[in-house]
Amino acid sequence: MTVTARQPGIPHPRLALPTPQAPEDLEAFQRWLNEAIPMVSQLGIQAMQQQDDWLEWQLALTPNLNDKGTGFGGAFTAQTTLLGWCWITLWLRENGLVRDVVVAEASQRFLAPVTQDYRLRCRPSEADGPQQLQQRLHERGKGRIQLTQQLYCGETLCLEASGNYAVLPQPPV
């Protein structure tokens, strides 16, 4: 993909869907994400991994420092929202669907200061959330899913977040 300056009102080209024979290339997805959403390159994402029903990022603290030398809550809010968006976008891609996703509602609860590099994990809030979403998409062409994000410094849980994400109907051709 050619890197060009983003312009308001002009959608970024979509990333081609993975083939059934090849799983999602998370490094290629992250490169696309950096181009599609310019602020992503400033968030300190060092690695992305996916397993079963969760998606996890490893992040550097330094780009997310506040004036006190700990993690900036606003950065974490952006990261948790974006991580949820990535979770549902990757789930849709895995299921061969190209759809727009938006966050409908989000909340965070800060539990402890973030004082070192950290990991942020996202998963469905309900075990059957993906199956419910798949059913709604089949029946109505749109749906929602509640996702939970948790931020850990080592073994310390520093933040819990929740987001309700809407998968929009496929636009008419």
Side-chain angles (χ1 to χ4, degrees), residues 79-140:
Q79 291 166 357
T80 58
T81 302
L82 181 62
L83 181 59
W85 182 91
C86 287
W87 188 98
I88 189 62
T89 298
L90 289 167
W91 181 87
L92 288 164
R93 292 171 55 74
E94 181 180 302
N95 287 279
L97 299 171
V98 176
R99 297 290 181 83
D100 286 329
V101 175
V102 296
V103 61
E105 185 178 349
S107 64
Q108 300 79 32
R109 189 168 63 124
F110 299 90
L111 305 168
V114 177
T115 58
Q116 62 189 38
D117 290 354
Y118 54 98
R119 70 183 189 280
L120 189 55
R121 183 175 281 191
C122 179
R123 69 183 191 306
S125 299
E126 298 177 17
D128 66 343
Q131 293 81 12
Q132 289 180 24
L133 176 60
Q134 192 157 36
Q135 183 177 348
R136 284 187 210 110
L137 290 172
H138 177 73
E139 292 172 355
R140 301 180 195 144

Side-chain angles (χ1 to χ4, degrees), residues 81 101-107 143-146 162-168:
T81 302
V101 175
V102 296
V103 61
E105 185 178 349
S107 64
R144 288 182 182 236
I145 188 167
Q146 187 78 25
S162 179
N164 185 308
Y165 294 82
V167 178
L168 303 179

Side-chain angles (χ1 to χ4, degrees), residues 5 18 30 37-38 40 46 59 61 73 94 108 124 156:
Q30 187 173 346
I37 305 173
V40 169
Q46 297 174 323
L59 296 111
L61 176 58
E94 181 180 302
Q108 300 79 32
T156 302

